[in-house]
Amino acid sequence: QVQLVESGGGSVQAGGSLRLSCARSGHTYSSLCMGWFRQAPGKERERVASIITGSGSTVYADSVKGRFTISQDNVKNTLSLQMNSLKPEDTAMYYCAAMTRGGGWWCPPAGDWREYNYWGQGTQVTVSS
């Protein structure tokens, strides 16, 4: 079992920055595929970024490359998402997720959210123009 709790969402003007955090607790794994996802009203949930915690290997959605950075603190068991140069189209509910299937050393290449089996409650990010 893995528990995930997000924090750090809020409202910001376009061009601003926010930092999301995800505290992980529960069973300890040598490596996990973890990711940040977002879902805007009426849209499909999409992967923003993912990381394999054992190797540090990351993948980003094209829409956030160069603006967002996913990182981890293995001591604190925390996953973070630094979001810079925010745009109104980044407005969404953001979720932290973990996938324990696949041994923890692999993330779904297409970023299918259905592959992830643990989810946080989400945190709202609103970017105004």
Side-chain angles (χ1 to χ4, degrees):
Q1 287 282 357
V2 175
Q3 292 80 42
L4 303 171
V5 179
E6 302 99 334
S7 61
S11 297
V12 66
Q13 288 192 326
S17 299
L18 283 173
R19 186 177 181 88
L20 307 183
S21 293
C22 173
R24 173 165 60 91
S25 60
H27 188 74
T28 300
Y29 295 84
S30 60
S31 182
L32 274 177
C33 171
M34 296 194 69
W36 285 99
F37 291 76
R38 65 187 182 187
Q39 188 167 20
K43 293 191 175 181
E44 179 80 4
R45 187 170 296 191
E46 63 172 350
R47 180 185 60 182
V48 174
S50 62
I51 186 169
I52 298 173
T53 61
S55 66
S57 176
T58 59
V59 175
Y60 293 91
D62 288 343
S63 60
V64 306
K65 280 180 183 176
R67 300 189 298 123
F68 290 11
T69 303
I70 188 171
S71 62
Q72 59 179 338
D73 183 328
N74 289 330
V75 174
K76 297 181 179 178
N77 284 337
T78 300
L79 185 73
S80 297
L81 184 70
Q82 178 66 42
M83 305 185 294
N84 298 328
S85 302
L86 282 161
K87 304 175 181 180
E89 51 264 43
D90 294 319
T91 295
M93 184 71 78
Y94 283 70
Y95 298 90
C96 172
M99 188 186 81
T100 57
R101 294 187 287 266
W105 293 93
W106 173 84
C107 280
D112 189 345
W113 63 269
R114 298 168 186 83
E115 298 281 356
Y116 290 72
N117 49 330
Y118 292 102
W119 291 85
Q121 81 286 355
T123 185
Q124 178 68 36
V125 171
T126 303
V127 184
S128 58
S129 57

